Amino acid sequence: MKKRLEKMDVKEKTVVVRFDYNVPIVNNEIIDDTKIITSLDTIHYLLKNNCKIVILSHLGKIQKEEDKKNNSLAIVAAKLKNLLNQEVYFSHNLLDPELLERIKIMIPKDIILLENTRFLDIPNKLESNCDIQTSSFLASLGEVFVMDAFASAHRAHASTVGITKFLPSCIGFSVERELSALNKFLMSPKRPFTVIMGGAKVEDKLELIEAMLLKCDHLLLAGGLANSFLKALNFNIGASLATKNAKTIEKLKNILLNNRDKISLPLDAIVGSSYDKTYTRYKKINEITDNEIIYDIGVKTIEKYKSIILKSETIFLNGTMGVYEDYRYSNGTKEILQILKESQKIVVAGGGDSVSSVKHFGFNDAFTYLSCGGGATLEYLIHGHLIGIDSIMEEENIEILDV
Ligand code: 3PG
């Protein structure tokens, strides 16, 4: 059993909370605030208990110095301030001892959000490599740690796992809610169990796909994942996003060979062009030419996927069918969501893109459960546990380190 927030003595304490505020931002605007809304229950509980709240989160992928420019959490602090109707302080500093002084002078119910923890990855990956000194410093900012970042619970980083080695720790309300919903609907799913996966890079999901194939009855693919499988089958996918790695392609061939009956791939597509932004065509999957780019699934694919969905009892949706934000390529995603809604089956959508598309097309209340976790949800379904919360147990049998 995980130690729950309600079982933790937080009254009047300084509490460090890890949320997942990795929200989609377009033109300096948060286009889906689901993850921020999800964090409010835990924040309200801590406010009720007169805590000082120190919030940690990551945002985006930070691989080089320039990535910092577009991934500051300052925009989230402003959003949180609006939602809570109270001041939310923002600190650009993360590892600065001055931060300790700043937190010391905070009063109960004050909230401070610290800058993107992944900024610490430049140059030495202090966050992602779970650096022990970094973990210890983050822990020194409070007296208790609450892990409430479900979507990051598959990452053993300084701000998720490292910090638990130094502070009494528990899970927050959104992690608790996610675990109980996923246990209920997906851990022993009603069969047939169908997984629908979209997404860009097949390399990121290869292991998960292989493991998922052992759990599900059908796997329906779209996006860059599907393109790579089509390429492995020697289809010309033009200039579409797909793996270039020969070893990966060999692996995909084997996966296809061993799972002929389970994997479904697009039969047709809506394509654009690599040199003409106005060009859009319907193409059968064997008609694609060198400069065309697959941006959405076509009607035949929708029909094929529909027939599998209607024969299923449980469906897990992870990803979208195409570039749904562009109306020319939105039909596949919208139609599949409509079919899922009308199916009246157990439907769980997981991951930033899936949930954003569900909200974009107004299907908010159409499904059994919307999970904030993408990678985390997949990992939980496959392995039955998550490295980012493994160390948080009800019985505090872990030794709290002092550095
Ligand atoms: C997510 O959106 O799935 C989480 O925020 C995790 O992001 P990551 O894959 O960059 O760790």
Side-chain angles (χ1 to χ4, degrees):
M1 284 286 279
K2 299 281 160 216
K3 178 128 186 171
R4 300 166 54 233
L5 178 51
E6 278 166 322
K7 293 267 180 84
M8 191 68 133
D9 177 14
V10 291
K11 225 170 191 42
E12 282 156 24
K13 294 201 164 147
T14 303
V15 179
V16 182
V17 195
R18 174 61 157 93
F19 289 125
D20 187 306
Y21 286 153
N22 186 20
V23 289
I25 297 171
V26 175
N27 295 331
N28 227 6
E29 206 186 308
I30 296 170
I31 54 164
D32 179 7
D33 61 4
T34 310
K35 285 180 169 176
I36 306 177
I37 303 279
T38 303
S39 72
L40 296 181
D41 283 352
T42 292
I43 295 179
H44 284 305
Y45 180 83
L46 296 175
L47 290 173
K48 219 168 60 200
N49 279 280
N50 284 328
C51 301
K52 295 187 200 177
I53 307 173
V54 180
I55 302 177
L56 305 173
S57 175
H58 76 281
L59 173 63
K61 309 262 184 221
I62 310 295
Q63 268 132 10
K64 47 190 180 323
E65 190 64 35
E66 302 92 273
D67 294 335
K68 291 185 181 175
K69 205 169 68 210
N70 296 322
N71 286 296
S72 170
L73 280 168
I75 186 171
V76 174
K79 180 78 190 177
L80 206 50
K81 179 176 165 176
N82 280 343
L83 289 168
L84 291 166
N85 205 14
Q86 78 160 69
E87 190 58 65
V88 173
Y89 301 106
F90 181 70
S91 168
H92 291 280
N93 292 330
L94 268 164
L95 286 190
D96 193 331
E98 266 181 25
L99 188 55
L100 289 167
E101 294 309 310
R102 191 164 173 195
I103 291 169
K104 215 183 264 171
I105 58 170
M106 279 167 52
I107 59 170
K109 296 187 198 287
D110 271 358
I111 302 176
I112 186 164
L113 170 63
L114 310 192
E115 185 54 286
N116 190 344
T117 50
R118 287 194 184 162
F119 284 12
L120 299 172
D121 278 347
I122 308 294
N124 290 326
K125 290 209 167 291
L126 298 179
E127 160 75 330
S128 299
N129 283 348
C130 201
D131 174 68
I132 196 86
Q133 298 296 339
T134 305
S135 309
S136 150
F137 180 82
L138 294 176
S140 72
L141 303 175
E143 300 157 273
V144 168
F145 175 63
V146 181
M147 171 59 181
D148 208 19
F150 180 75
S152 304
H154 57 318
R155 305 277 184 223
H157 290 178
S159 68
T160 57
V161 171
I163 191 167
T164 64
K165 308 211 182 317
F166 300 92
L167 281 180
S169 305
C170 64
I171 55 168
F173 293 128
S174 84
V175 168
E176 200 181 328
R177 210 168 29 237
E178 293 269 11
L179 293 176
S180 88
L182 296 178
N183 288 344
K184 182 167 169 197
F185 301 118
L186 295 185
M187 285 321 259
S188 313
K190 273 176 101 179
R191 290 188 177 273
F193 175 37
T194 293
V195 176
I196 309 175
M197 276 172 93
K201 283 196 183 164
V202 80
E203 278 87 355
D204 291 350
K205 291 200 173 157
L206 204 52
E207 272 178 39
L208 292 175
I209 289 172
E210 281 185 292
M212 194 49 102
L213 282 161
L214 300 172
K215 298 246 165 187
C216 70
D217 301 297
H218 302 283
L219 180 63
L220 315 184
L221 295 172
L225 298 185
N227 297 344
S228 296
F229 277 98
L230 289 167
K231 188 170 171 180
L233 288 172
N234 287 329
F235 281 98
N236 182 6
I237 50 160
S240 309
L241 181 71
T243 183
K244 293 186 171 60
N245 185 312
K247 272 198 188 137
T248 305
I249 291 175
E250 265 324 293
K251 204 148 196 206
L252 296 179
K253 280 185 188 160
N254 275 328
I255 293 176
L256 283 164
L257 209 62
N258 296 328
N259 296 279
R260 262 179 238 263
D261 304 334
K262 278 194 183 177
I263 298 178
S264 292
L265 292 169
L267 302 171
D268 53 359
I270 310 298
V271 300
S273 155
S274 57
Y275 58 85
D276 178 2
K277 280 201 160 53
T278 62
Y279 175 96
T280 308
R281 295 278 187 287
Y282 167 84
K283 286 288 177 87
K284 288 190 189 137
I285 220 67
N286 57 359
E287 291 173 346
I288 293 170
T289 56
D290 289 351
N291 292 313
E292 289 176 332
I293 304 176
I294 300 173
Y295 283 134
D296 194 11
I297 56 172
V299 283
K300 285 193 171 37
T301 312
I302 295 172
E303 277 311 304
K304 176 176 162 188
Y305 287 8
K306 179 178 179 178
S307 70
I308 298 171
I309 289 169
L310 296 183
K311 278 188 260 166
S312 309
E313 287 302 327
T314 308
I315 300 110
F316 175 56
L317 174 68
N318 177 249
T320 64
M321 299 300 101
V323 188
Y324 72 90
E325 301 91 333
D326 182 331
Y327 74 96
R328 297 172 299 169
Y329 308 115
S330 62
N331 188 56
T333 302
K334 193 170 165 190
E335 283 296 314
I336 292 293
L337 291 175
Q338 184 67 34
I339 292 162
L340 288 170
K341 177 186 171 177
E342 285 167 9
S343 73
Q344 301 283 311
K345 310 292 170 131
I346 295 168
V347 179
V348 176
D353 282 351
S354 327
V355 174
S356 295
S357 69
V358 166
K359 298 205 163 174
H360 179 84
F361 292 115
F363 289 98
N364 305 31
D365 301 318
F367 303 129
T368 317
Y369 183 67
L370 298 183
S371 168
C372 282
T377 305
L378 284 168
E379 297 253 359
Y380 188 60
L381 296 190
I382 289 161
H383 303 299
H385 68 99
L386 288 164
I387 191 168
I389 48 174
D390 281 347
S391 61
I392 299 176
M393 298 307 289
E394 190 157 49
E395 294 304 319
E396 241 167 59
N397 49 7
I398 52 160
E399 197 188 334
I400 307 286
L401 298 181
D402 198 2
V403 167

